Amino acid sequence: MKTLFQTEERWAPVILRIMLALVIFPHGAQKLLGWYGGFGYEGTMGFFTQQMGLPWVIAFLVVIGEFFGPLALAVGFMTRFAAASLAIIMIGAIATVHWPVGFFMNWSGQQAGEGFEYHLLVIGMGLSLLISGAGKWSVDQVIGKWLAREESLQTDETRRTVAA
């Protein structure tokens, strides 16, 4: 449990998690709420399960992960879990949709779809956060310090008991 929340007081992870949250949140809001021209929960679930053939639980986890993951990243709560979840979602997107299109995004409108370069950036940012943790100004940092203090108190109590 301690490893999940442990983080250093550094700024780089803060920048990564805020930027990742800003980029992914609109995609999650499209899927869950229908914002930004999206189809909302019903439409997205229908597309994922009927058109793409994904099991409903996978479709549900993608929708929930892309919406709540960025919110968690924004405040630095369960950063490692949220970052790993987004990286896994992007690996799935590459494998199921974007690999045949190739590497490059469809900047010129000449391709049949979008390439996977964007997804690789999200995976890289997610892996970096998985390693570093949330950084400064995060809920994880507060929880990590609390867990370390609790562990220290338990260790002190054990020493006193053994000494007695």
Side-chain angles (χ1 to χ4, degrees), residues 107-136:
W107 295 107
S108 64
Q110 304 300 313
Q111 296 172 187
E114 296 289 345
F116 54 86
E117 64 181 313
Y118 161 85
H119 304 81
L120 291 178
L121 290 172
V122 172
I123 292 166
M125 292 172 81
L127 292 175
S128 179
L129 289 168
L130 184 62
I131 293 166
S132 70
K136 289 178 162 287

Side-chain angles (χ1 to χ4, degrees), residues 71-140:
L71 296 176
L73 288 176
V75 297
F77 178 64
M78 294 194 62
T79 298
R80 286 185 168 93
F81 178 79
S85 298
L86 292 174
I88 290 167
I89 290 169
M90 292 301 121
I91 290 168
I94 291 170
T96 58
V97 177
H98 301 282
W99 185 263
V101 178
F103 179 77
F104 294 104
M105 302 273 302
N106 192 9
W107 295 107
S108 64
Q110 304 300 313
Q111 296 172 187
E114 296 289 345
F116 54 86
E117 64 181 313
Y118 161 85
H119 304 81
L120 291 178
L121 290 172
V122 172
I123 292 166
M125 292 172 81
L127 292 175
S128 179
L129 289 168
L130 184 62
I131 293 166
S132 70
K136 289 178 162 287
W137 292 2
S138 65
V139 175
D140 286 355

Side-chain angles (χ1 to χ4, degrees), residues 13-128:
V14 177
I15 296 166
L16 277 174
R17 68 182 166 83
I18 297 298
M19 290 299 115
L20 187 54
L22 287 173
V23 168
I24 297 295
F25 179 77
H27 295 277
Q30 285 178 319
K31 290 174 178 70
L32 185 65
L33 305 174
W35 294 1
Y36 310 109
F39 298 110
Y41 180 75
E42 298 280 329
T44 301
M45 288 296 287
F47 177 76
F48 280 169
T49 58
Q50 296 164 15
Q51 301 291 338
M52 292 183 64
L54 294 176
W56 76 267
V57 70
I58 299 297
F60 176 77
L61 290 173
V62 168
V63 172
I64 295 304
E66 281 193 28
F67 184 78
F68 290 105
L71 296 176
L73 288 176
V75 297
F77 178 64
M78 294 194 62
T79 298
R80 286 185 168 93
F81 178 79
S85 298
L86 292 174
I88 290 167
I89 290 169
M90 292 301 121
I91 290 168
I94 291 170
T96 58
V97 177
H98 301 282
W99 185 263
V101 178
F103 179 77
F104 294 104
M105 302 273 302
N106 192 9
W107 295 107
S108 64
Q110 304 300 313
Q111 296 172 187
E114 296 289 345
F116 54 86
E117 64 181 313
Y118 161 85
H119 304 81
L120 291 178
L121 290 172
V122 172
I123 292 166
M125 292 172 81
L127 292 175
S128 179

